[in-house]
Amino acid sequence: MFKKVLRWFLFGDTIEVLYYRSIKYSNKGAFYKYIAILCSRRINRKYACYLSQKAIVGRNIKFPHPVGIVIGDGVTIAEDAIIYQNVTLGAARVGEGVKGLYPKIGKDVVIFAGAKVIGGITIGDGAVIGANSVVTKDIPANVSAVGIPARIVGDI
């Protein structure tokens, strides 16, 4: 087991693998928590992005261009989401993180480059968030949202 973890840590090159493994192993004991911290630092150094170990992330999450992504502590992301570069998911203000006001992202959601999803909101399953959008209100399932602030422009 140790050889597998060491080989993965030294030679793994995709952010999906690094992030998934860091979360998977972070609660299995002190050694794995240490590996998760090292992995988090490596992601931060290599891709200039912050992915909290406290975030709840589903399977098959994809980061096609993993540069500048920020995912806060209480964020929940369901399966099969795609998140592009420079996306921020987190609390809107300093005190809101303590209250648990983080975004909840549904299944099969696509968040394009530069989008900001902030506050205690919910993005419905299958929604698409346009590039450089600022989402501050709930987005229902299977719709497209664009603009600052984001507004719904159509069904998918």
Side-chain angles (χ1 to χ4, degrees), residues 16-136:
E16 294 93 336
V17 172
L18 291 174
Y19 187 55
Y20 175 71
R21 299 288 180 170
S22 69
I23 296 301
K24 182 178 176 186
Y25 291 126
S26 67
N27 54 6
K28 292 202 181 226
F31 173 74
Y32 292 110
K33 187 169 187 169
Y34 178 72
I35 292 294
I37 290 168
L38 287 177
C39 188
S40 177
R41 289 181 184 165
R42 178 178 174 191
I43 291 169
N44 196 353
R45 197 174 41 237
K46 185 173 182 179
Y47 297 107
C49 59
Y50 173 74
L51 305 171
S52 175
Q53 295 176 9
K54 296 177 184 176
I56 300 167
V57 178
R59 294 183 181 183
N60 298 328
I61 265 239
K62 300 216 183 311
F63 301 102
H65 305 285
V67 178
I69 297 172
V70 177
I71 298 178
D73 289 342
V75 175
T76 303
I77 304 173
E79 294 85 24
D80 300 319
I82 301 174
I83 300 174
Y84 286 87
Q85 68 269 19
N86 295 320
V87 170
T88 300
L89 306 173
R93 291 169 201 78
V94 176
E96 290 184 357
V98 177
K99 298 175 187 174
L101 296 175
Y102 285 99
K104 292 172 181 45
I105 311 298
K107 293 180 182 179
D108 298 318
V109 171
V110 179
I111 303 175
F112 284 101
K116 311 298 181 234
V117 181
I118 54 176
I121 62 172
T122 302
I123 307 295
D125 295 344
V128 176
I129 307 299
N132 295 318
S133 297
V134 177
V135 183
T136 57

